[in-house]
Amino acid sequence: VRDVLVLLGDEVARAGAAVTTEVPERLAVSGDRLQIEQVLINLVRNSLEAVSEPDIKKRQVHVAAQQSNGWIEISVSDTGPGFAPHVAERLFEPFVTASSTGMGLGLTITRSIVEAHGGRVWVEPRSTPGAIVRFTLPEAGTTASSQTPSQAHSQALDRAHG
């Protein structure tokens, strides 16, 4: 996470955003580091674009990670306008975008990478303005989890709504 934020430092500054993290030390996922960094780059860039909208006063992006039952769940949330429901349900399809400048491929690529690593990715609304994109990946050093990505997703939804 730190490497991605360093790489995106100029974009963060241009957006005038405050980026915070909540990532435990020594947390590691199983998979191709460059591909996983690409997922984070896509998600953080999307959030930076969302908070750069002219009418957004509070420009915040938050990246968090937690471990649970052999899975790492990572979330990127922002205080942008969020997603319209008709767009949110199709966001991971090619050429669907909530952006005025995007091509609609970043989240499709994100989903492909996450699923190729055995994980799952989804979007949630926030109780305050903005959006949350979460994804799960196997924890490094695990060969099998006591939960499938689908179960981890359900458990995450329960935590978020319960």
Side-chain angles (χ1 to χ4, degrees):
V1 172
R2 285 174 210 71
D3 292 345
V4 168
L5 294 179
V6 168
L7 180 67
L8 296 177
D10 289 343
E11 292 178 51
V12 170
R14 275 194 302 278
V19 178
T20 57
T21 61
E22 192 175 341
V23 180
E25 291 294 321
R26 303 189 202 301
L27 198 62
V29 298
S30 179
D32 183 292
R33 178 184 170 109
L34 291 177
Q35 289 183 358
I36 294 165
E37 284 180 355
Q38 185 62 57
V39 167
L40 283 168
I41 287 168
N42 290 348
L43 297 179
V44 172
R45 276 187 172 152
N46 287 352
S47 286
L48 290 172
E49 185 175 332
V51 300
S52 294
E53 295 285 326
D55 57 336
I56 302 298
K57 305 291 184 243
K58 189 176 183 182
R59 298 176 180 216
Q60 294 183 320
V61 175
H62 184 70
V63 181
Q66 61 183 11
Q67 184 276 339
S68 178
N69 296 318
W71 292 93
I72 306 295
E73 180 186 297
I74 301 168
S75 64
V76 179
S77 59
D78 63 60
T79 55
F83 302 113
H86 70 281
V87 174
E89 64 191 32
R90 298 183 54 230
L91 269 176
F92 296 99
E93 296 176 17
F95 308 111
V96 173
T97 182
S99 165
S100 59
T101 60
M103 291 177 50
L105 293 175
L107 289 177
T108 302
I109 293 167
T110 292
R111 181 184 65 188
S112 295
I113 292 170
V114 169
E115 289 178 354
H117 284 80
R120 183 176 168 111
V121 60
W122 66 98
V123 174
E124 294 178 5
R126 286 177 44 132
S127 57
T128 57
I132 304 171
V133 179
R134 296 183 191 276
F135 65 98
T136 56
L137 292 169
E139 184 175 11
T142 60
T143 55
S145 171
S146 59
Q147 283 187 318
T148 66
S150 216
Q151 290 169 323
H153 175 245
S154 294
Q155 185 180 52
L157 287 176
D158 289 344
R159 281 194 309 273
H161 299 292

